[in-house]
Amino acid sequence: MADAPLLTLDDLRVDFHTPTGIVNAVRGLSFTLGRERLGIVGESGSGKSMTGRAILDLIPHPGVVTAKRMEFRGKDLTTMDKASRRKLRGRHISMVMQDPKFSLNPVQTVGDQIAEAYRVHHKASARQAKERSLSMLEAVQIREPGRVYDLYPHEVSGGMGQRVMIAMMLIAEPEILIADEPTSALDVTVQLQVLKILDDLVTSRGMGLIFISHDLHLVKSFCDRVIVMYGGKAMETLPASELDRAQHPYTRGLLGCLPDLDHPREKLATLNRDPAWLA
Amino acid sequence: MSTNSAINVDKLNVSFGDSHVVKDLSFAVEPGESYGIVGESGSGKSTVLRVLAGLNRDWSGEVDILGKRQPKIRDKAFYRAVQMVFQDPYGSLHPKKTVDDTLAEPLAIHGIRDAETKISRALQDVGLPASFRFRYPHQLSGGQRQRVAIARALVLEPTILLLDEPTSALDVSIQAEVLNLLQALRHERKLTYILVSHDLAVVGHMCERLLVMQFGRGVEEMTAATLAARAPQTAYAQQLLTASEGFRRAG
């Protein structure tokens, strides 16, 4: 069972039925996730966030998710009812959003929010939940958990807010964590601290991580394997360490666009999009 | 670094209430130079730019721009010479004004005739088709909006452009297009740039010299060559540079 994939997706599609026609946000994406750090990179509109949301059954109306196969540890998600999907969400598969400013409840202390996340999924007294939450705050390296527990979201910094979110998502001990641009709103030095915490927790708990990002350098240095998405499709999948040797013209194009301190150029390459990539 | 600097800032201090956000900052930018200011959020880099642009009137120190000592409240001639491009093209363009309105307004304020040709030329300069002239911002993509914002700044034919994170809201492929456009315009028109960014690679690409800021102070000024050689003198600049290179797994 240890080597069986945590998540299997085959031909995932997300379509939005709008008055002006159908928008295909994700068009036939397939991958499996084991206990690894899988990166999904792409530009805005590539469908990377929609993929994360589809796995959690969080696609809003009028979006429709279809897949030939979508399985979590052998359980078929395509036929599962809403209530069971909801039980899975947070407990077994959970998600860290981009910006703690918008994702935390502004009128509840951060500690209570973490404790609530625990009690939704586990039978525990308020006191036990608080103890768990405090130790979770410690696990994400918050120095004075007792003090921070009683703070409201506006009283914590961006980096601390993001660590609170990670604590909240990991307290239920999910098997899969989906992190959607978890550090894009943070300064570079804080970004690295948060990633380090995420990395340690994911590794020590043997979780599968789906790391969604637009930052090629970051994904290259952080993940094991990378899916490059464009226009709702996977352009290529490759080991992160080989990203520099990518074959697909889109990946090559993206890498070429980035200014690079080691290879100064008068003019940056721009990307010529080939309609055939979406065929 | 003498009287013929395009911009000379001496002992600039800015406070918002009790918080002292820019502390004794001094630097000079030569005409035709592209000068970068980098730092993390709260380092005061955008505040410096807003003081230079005349958007912040609560400061002390000396600011000389194009050989003139600048008062707190700037005159019209100043704004013809110095223009700013903001970070977020989704926020900096009026949602209910067409591209044409946006570009015509600065011309009307300055009583410049021949708006017709100036507007079509400005659109052409930033690589937008003439048919975009009567579109609204919501009918444009992020990169196209930022081109409109650049066109709006250029329509007055300024000599100095203040760029506040001009590409950080854009995808990398669009960022490359906008940076190329800014480079080409600078060479064509001999513009002077101050580029504020948190992205060291972008600053290394665009600027000859840069200033690293932290907690409102200038920590270190260096050339792009020093940056490329990873040879800053101060620990903070070095730390920032290392952090920007991506994640490193210990052991």
Side-chain angles (χ1 to χ4, degrees), chain A residues 178-191:
Chain A
I178 301 169
D180 190 356
E181 305 265 9
T183 57
S184 306
L186 308 176
D187 279 324
V188 275
T189 47
V190 183
Q191 181 174 348

Side-chain angles (χ1 to χ4, degrees), chain A residues 33-48:
Chain A
L33 175 76
R35 297 183 194 281
E36 60 178 331
R37 293 166 291 239
L38 175 67
I40 300 184
V41 280
E43 299 192 286
S44 33
S46 62
K48 56 190 193 302

Side-chain angles (χ1 to χ4, degrees), chain A residues 12-74:
Chain A
L12 174 76
R13 288 171 188 278
V14 180
D15 302 317
F16 285 86
H17 296 259
T18 70
T20 50
I22 298 176
V23 177
N24 310 108
V26 180
R27 351 175 161 202
L29 182 69
S30 307
F31 66 84
T32 59
L33 175 76
R35 297 183 194 281
E36 60 178 331
R37 293 166 291 239
L38 175 67
I40 300 184
V41 280
E43 299 192 286
S44 33
S46 62
K48 56 190 193 302
S49 292
M50 283 301 156
T51 303
R53 288 173 173 268
I55 295 166
L56 283 167
D57 194 27
L58 285 177
I59 298 287
H61 181 81
V64 177
V65 180
T66 53
K68 280 202 192 113
R69 231 177 116 202
M70 174 149 66
E71 284 177 7
F72 166 71
R73 302 185 74 179

Side-chain angles (χ1 to χ4, degrees), chain B residues 141-207:
Chain B
S141 69
Q144 288 164 347
R145 283 181 219 213
Q146 201 57 307
R147 284 168 194 267
V148 172
I150 294 169
R152 186 205 49 73
L154 287 176
V155 77
L156 293 173
E157 297 177 6
T159 47
I160 297 178
L161 266 194
L162 305 172
L163 305 160
D164 188 5
E165 305 258 14
T167 58
S168 52
L170 307 175
D171 276 329
V172 290
S173 60
I174 313 298
Q175 162 171 294
E177 290 171 19
V178 172
L179 293 182
N180 284 342
L181 170 67
L182 288 170
Q183 286 284 49
L185 289 168
R186 185 180 145 219
H187 290 305
E188 252 166 56
R189 305 186 173 199
K190 313 268 177 280
L191 297 170
T192 305
Y193 284 171
I194 294 191
L195 173 71
V196 162
S197 178
H198 66 278
D199 189 328
L200 285 166
V202 167
V203 170
H205 174 67
M206 295 288 291
C207 303

Side-chain angles (χ1 to χ4, degrees), chain B residues 32-214:
Chain B
E33 191 183 11
S34 175
Y35 189 83
I37 302 181
V38 296
E40 299 189 284
S41 32
S43 62
K45 56 190 194 305
S46 291
T47 305
V48 173
L49 216 56
R50 293 177 65 87
V51 166
L52 293 177
L55 292 169
N56 183 327
R57 291 169 183 173
D58 240 351
W59 50 272
S60 61
E62 281 167 11
V63 175
D64 294 283
I65 296 178
L66 299 168
K68 272 178 72 179
R69 176 72 32 98
Q70 295 300 323
K72 300 282 186 301
I73 296 173
R74 311 287 160 81
D75 55 12
K76 256 177 156 179
F78 171 83
Y79 291 104
R80 278 197 76 164
V82 182
Q83 280 290 321
M84 181 152 168
V85 176
F86 297 88
Q87 173 170 6
D88 185 357
Y90 294 83
S92 68
L93 298 177
H94 195 301
K96 292 174 98 174
K97 301 246 189 221
T98 61
V99 171
D100 185 67
D101 293 332
T102 300
L103 299 184
E105 196 175 351
L107 295 172
I109 289 170
H110 290 271
I112 296 167
R113 286 153 194 263
D114 206 14
E116 190 61 32
T117 41
K118 294 228 181 267
I119 291 174
S120 34
R121 167 130 188 261
L123 285 178
Q124 207 183 335
D125 286 346
V126 298
L128 287 175
S131 61
F132 277 45
R133 189 163 159 186
F134 297 99
R135 289 205 187 181
Y136 287 95
H138 75 266
Q139 295 169 307
L140 305 173
S141 69
Q144 288 164 347
R145 283 181 219 213
Q146 201 57 307
R147 284 168 194 267
V148 172
I150 294 169
R152 186 205 49 73
L154 287 176
V155 77
L156 293 173
E157 297 177 6
T159 47
I160 297 178
L161 266 194
L162 305 172
L163 305 160
D164 188 5
E165 305 258 14
T167 58
S168 52
L170 307 175
D171 276 329
V172 290
S173 60
I174 313 298
Q175 162 171 294
E177 290 171 19
V178 172
L179 293 182
N180 284 342
L181 170 67
L182 288 170
Q183 286 284 49
L185 289 168
R186 185 180 145 219
H187 290 305
E188 252 166 56
R189 305 186 173 199
K190 313 268 177 280
L191 297 170
T192 305
Y193 284 171
I194 294 191
L195 173 71
V196 162
S197 178
H198 66 278
D199 189 328
L200 285 166
V202 167
V203 170
H205 174 67
M206 295 288 291
C207 303
E208 284 97 43
R209 289 190 304 143
L210 60 134
L211 175 72
V212 177
M213 287 186 70
Q214 185 192 24

Side-chain angles (χ1 to χ4, degrees), chain A residues 97-106 153-154 156-158 161-162 165 185-186:
Chain A
M97 309 275 183
Q98 175 167 0
D99 196 336
K101 274 204 282 288
F102 300 113
S103 312
L104 292 171
N105 182 351
H154 73 272
V156 304
S157 67
Q162 201 56 294
M165 294 250 288
L186 308 176

